[in-house]
Amino acid sequence: MQFLDIHTVKKQLTMPMAISAIEELLKRQGEHPSWIKTPERLVIPTFQESDAHTSGSHLSMPSVVFDGENEYAVVKLVTICPDNPQRDKPTTMAAITVSNNETGDMLAFLDGIYITQVRTAALSGIATKYLANPHSRVAAVVGTGGMAYEQLNAILTVRPDITHVKLWNRTAQTAHQFRDRFIQEYPQWQVDVQVCEHIEEAIRDADIINLATRATAGLFEAAQIKANVHINAVGAYQATMKEVSNSVIEACDSVIIDDAEGGLHEAGDLIQAHEDSDSAWTWDRLTGTLGDLVNKKISLDVKEDKGMTLFKSVGAASFDAAVALQVAKKAKAKNLGQCVAL
């Protein structure tokens, strides 16, 4: 078994590699639905909300993937620790195992923190590729925590003509730290990165908006953003959370989700819009899934006057599996990481 720590994973995993792996998974799933098995994840709440602890959750996310030659079991164990940024640790802590289903041998044990960040961002990258104005020049990043770095990296990967990035975070210091770190760690992107004092400044002229927060109420209204903006919403991962307001959801010409089944329980923005008697949006107005886009089951003409679009991500174990398998196969071929005998 190859043991791959976060440093090894970071050296081997690139954003184009993750985007390609997930697109291929979605195409394979469209052609051979039985090849990918992803049961609903197990979610266990952790801690009661108090002055000492912020409530989080522990997740077990299994998936079985047949790649046309071999079948693998990939399991991600995740603990979401909202107080971790105060400890200089990522909010999402994770580990992933990859096993060969023919023999049961465990092939790899991988740090899952970076894989989670990259696969989540890759989903937004794919959605942006299919939905965002191809002439996008301004991106806004709302919520500058650990997930946001790769989110921005993914957007720039598929829309490299972006020239300006505007940041907003409830804690301005975090946004400034994000700016400095992003410029240092991603020198390949020659963009002007600006920290905004108010969220309105960040979103007003944005062609693409990335949201990654733990908000419990919509952060802005439809009247405050461009009529043809594309929004990636990866926060609000519980039914009680909400970062996209009802007016924005209602104004969208297209609403796409990565995992429709998981969204019914976890997409707080959409769940609350559906349940609000004053909202015009209900689940039957969902345009489709990311897989539908990739497999051209729905066709959206991406142009400048395409209207407002929203991608809501809740994640699924199969996406982790696609990326983790690529890293594990690469590690085996190149004998990377530490070889551990079980």
Side-chain angles (χ1 to χ4, degrees):
M1 179 188 74
Q2 301 301 118
F3 175 81
L4 306 175
D5 63 14
I6 191 169
H7 303 293
T8 305
V9 172
K10 279 189 172 183
K11 286 181 181 178
Q12 303 305 318
L13 178 57
T14 67
M15 186 57 65
M17 175 179 164
I19 288 174
S20 176
I22 293 176
E23 278 201 87
E24 285 303 314
L25 174 97
L26 292 171
K27 290 175 182 177
R28 193 180 304 134
Q29 198 166 22
E31 295 169 358
H32 306 282
S34 64
W35 286 14
I36 316 295
K37 302 180 181 70
T38 310
E40 188 173 344
R41 75 195 77 186
L42 173 65
V43 182
I44 305 173
T46 58
F47 287 114
Q48 293 291 322
E49 194 81 21
S50 68
D51 292 338
H53 295 285
T54 303
S55 61
S57 54
H58 178 77
L59 297 80
S60 177
M61 301 172 62
S63 183
V64 169
V65 176
F66 179 62
D67 64 4
E69 296 181 1
N70 299 293
E71 186 179 86
Y72 302 91
V74 184
V75 181
K76 184 170 81 166
L77 298 176
V78 186
T79 305
I80 298 176
C81 309
D83 296 325
N84 263 5
Q86 303 167 26
R87 308 178 180 107
D88 198 27
K89 289 177 174 286
T91 300
T92 302
M93 304 292 283
I96 299 174
T97 63
V98 177
S99 302
N100 183 316
N101 281 353
E102 184 175 1
T103 63
D105 291 334
M106 187 177 293
L107 305 179
F109 183 95
L110 306 87
D111 180 277
I113 297 172
Y114 189 64
I115 288 177
T116 300
Q117 293 172 348
V118 172
R119 75 84 157 132
T120 304
L123 292 165
S124 293
I126 295 168
T128 301
K129 171 182 170 181
Y130 284 88
L131 296 172
N133 178 0
H135 303 296
S136 297
R137 294 294 182 270
V138 180
V141 176
V142 176
T144 55
M147 284 286 181
Y149 293 96
E150 292 304 326
Q151 286 288 319
L152 180 53
N153 184 27
I155 298 315
L156 294 172
T157 297
V158 298
R159 288 291 184 269
D161 292 334
I162 287 174
T163 56
H164 292 79
V165 175
K166 298 185 177 183
L167 311 175
W168 181 82
N169 194 74
R170 290 189 187 278
T171 306
Q173 181 183 359
T174 304
H176 284 283
Q177 291 171 346
F178 177 100
R179 178 187 182 278
D180 295 343
R181 178 180 161 189
F182 190 85
I183 291 172
Q184 179 181 356
E185 295 189 1
Y186 302 83
Q188 68 269 36
W189 303 123
Q190 300 297 312
V191 292
D192 176 49
V193 184
Q194 173 190 352
V195 175
C196 298
E197 183 177 354
H198 303 289
I199 189 172
E200 293 81 5
E201 298 174 56
I203 63 174
R204 185 186 301 122
D205 301 317
D207 299 300
I208 300 168
I209 300 175
N210 276 2
L211 303 176
T213 74
R214 285 172 52 84
T216 54
L219 295 167
F220 49 83
E221 302 299 328
Q224 297 175 279
I225 54 181
K226 294 175 73 171
N228 65 340
V229 69
H230 170 64
I231 302 168
N232 296 307
V234 305
Y237 52 85
Q238 294 179 357
T240 55
M241 297 177 177
K242 186 175 181 66
E243 55 186 1
V244 186
S245 67
N246 288 356
S247 72
V248 171
I249 297 172
E250 292 166 357
C252 285
D253 289 63
S254 303
V255 178
I256 301 293
I257 196 167
D258 55 355
D259 179 28
E261 184 177 351
L264 292 172
H265 309 291
E266 298 175 22
D269 317 273
L270 303 182
I271 291 169
Q272 292 182 46
H274 173 83
E275 293 178 347
D276 188 342
S277 59
D278 293 328
S279 169
W281 194 89
T282 53
W283 279 110
D284 59 6
R285 291 186 59 186
L286 183 73
T287 308
T289 67
L290 197 59
D292 293 332
L293 273 182
V294 171
N295 290 296
K296 299 180 180 179
K297 291 183 178 179
I298 53 177
S299 180
L300 301 178
D301 188 11
V302 179
K303 54 186 180 180
E304 193 167 348
D305 60 349
K306 63 182 176 54
M308 196 179 298
T309 55
L310 170 65
F311 170 62
K312 177 62 187 176
S313 177
V314 294
S318 57
F319 304 136
D320 295 289
V323 177
L325 270 173
Q326 289 295 313
V327 177
K329 289 177 180 179
K330 194 173 181 181
K332 182 178 180 181
K334 295 186 176 182
N335 196 29
L336 303 172
Q338 180 181 354
C339 184
V340 178
L342 293 179

